Amino acid sequence: MTKINKVKNTSSNNNEVVEKTDNSQAKIALIILIITLISSLLLATFSNTLENWGDEGGSNVFIRVLIGLSLGYILVRSYFGFAGSVNRAMRGNSFKLMRAIMFMFGLTSIFIGFIYMFNMTSITKSINPWWNNPISPGLAIGAILFGFGMAFSSACASGGLTDGSWNPMKMIIVVMAFGLGVLLAFPMQYDKGHIIGDESNWHNFLYGGVVFNFNQDIVKNKPMIGAIIGVSITIILCLTVVSITKVMDIILLKKNKTISSFSEEDFSKEWTRKELKETYKTTYSKLIERPLTLIEGAISLSIVFVIMVLLTHDAWGVSTPYGLWVGHILTTFNIVSVKQLNQYVGLPLFSLSFTQNVNGLQNIGIFIGGIIAALSMNKYNPIFKVSVKEAMLWTFGGILMGVGTRLSNGCNVGSLYSPIAFGSASGWVFLIFMVIGSVIGNIIFKKIK
């Protein structure tokens, strides 16, 4: 909320008291935004990617940073986060975020359904092989590990970045631990038998499952009908989850367990439109400072997701760059060489230049977008104090999440949101096992915290 300073208007005979808005943080946010946009534009120009609009893989640096800024801004301004889907339910008896996420899944699937419906093959061909993850033991175990780690670190892949808006130390610890887990488990994902044993057996464990897409596999070669059926199934599944959360609300109400109040400092406030209308009354506060409701955040994220698909021919992924960042830190300090890391992984991932790591640039945009949101809302007041116990929990949780993403081929974004948006059944399997892992993790977390 805007900080109001009362001052006397000396031009008035009655010494009338007027209100003066303190918008210093918003000014800083604007400066950061301008610097980021100019820097990314120059970087895109010098990397010869500025002209690559809509290319497969989305190599345009400026577009990637712009998308990241949008995602980070929305996530923080709406107090939205995938980790909270279970964490808030377990710790605050609130299923509002879970319902908002289901609304976002359903809405995005409708948008993506139109892409299938009109058979925009130049887009779908480049996306489907990656986001149709196989339903395998690796997916289930990875999701459980991810959910477990999500509870201990109170964050997820994207949430680790937006945590920098209020606790930079937590962001650094979670992201680096997450990256270490990704780096250690890279060979599992890329199926290198020289590291983990028999290659064929490991491949069967990770990828030998069923690949099934509601939009494509129920009715083949008929995009119009396939999209209608596939999107309908996705919406039904979303409504099923919403119904379950409504039943849980009734059960909790009968047990006299009310929703806990979330503090604004940890960016978990679940605003209603009525509360916002009563709290933010001036034009400035409505346009600049007013947070978004969870549903408004869900709608905004859905729109940005579709824009990302159209401009990059790719869906949303977050976790892989973390492993690359940790690897580059190790090579910078000569702990290992680039050649050794490439051999360990089995792919020349660490030979990529800074601008070739486009998802990494998008992640940087998410972090900066979150900072801009906190500043624009006049709520940027970072915490730098961290206890040893907190650091240990965040580190342990981060490593588990990192390893889990390699087994399941992604995080809450890459193995949950993106697959579900494109009609892949694997996203729903990931959701089930992620929730199981997160519930168990939260039970243990409460006992040791």
Side-chain angles (χ1 to χ4, degrees), residues 2 21 29 114 133 138 183 194 200 216 276 348 350 369 385 392 396:
T2 306
T21 301
F114 279 104
N133 294 328
L183 179 62
H194 64 284
S200 60
Q216 293 177 314
L276 291 172
F350 298 92
K385 187 177 180 180
M392 291 177 64
F396 179 63

Side-chain angles (χ1 to χ4, degrees), residues 186-193 196 198-200 202-203 207:
F186 260 143
M188 299 181 186
Q189 183 181 29
Y190 295 116
D191 185 34
K192 298 305 164 187
I196 53 178
D198 185 81
E199 184 173 345
S200 60
W202 191 251
H203 185 276
Y207 306 109

Side-chain angles (χ1 to χ4, degrees), residues 378-397:
N378 203 33
K379 293 189 177 299
Y380 186 66
N381 186 26
I383 301 170
F384 292 94
K385 187 177 180 180
V386 176
S387 69
V388 174
K389 188 174 185 179
E390 284 176 327
M392 291 177 64
L393 288 173
W394 296 340
T395 301
F396 179 63

Side-chain angles (χ1 to χ4, degrees), residues 213-261:
N213 188 288
F214 299 138
N215 295 336
Q216 293 177 314
D217 295 330
I218 295 177
V219 178
K220 297 182 182 296
N221 302 320
K222 292 184 179 180
M224 179 75 72
I225 299 175
I228 293 173
I229 294 176
V231 171
S232 298
I233 292 174
T234 298
I235 292 175
I236 290 171
L237 290 172
C238 289
L239 291 174
T240 300
V241 175
V242 170
S243 299
I244 293 172
T245 64
K246 289 291 187 179
V247 172
M248 292 301 299
D249 281 342
I250 296 172
I251 294 174
L252 291 173
L253 184 62
K254 288 183 178 180
K255 293 183 178 181
N256 295 319
K257 291 186 177 181
T258 57
I259 297 174
S260 299
S261 175

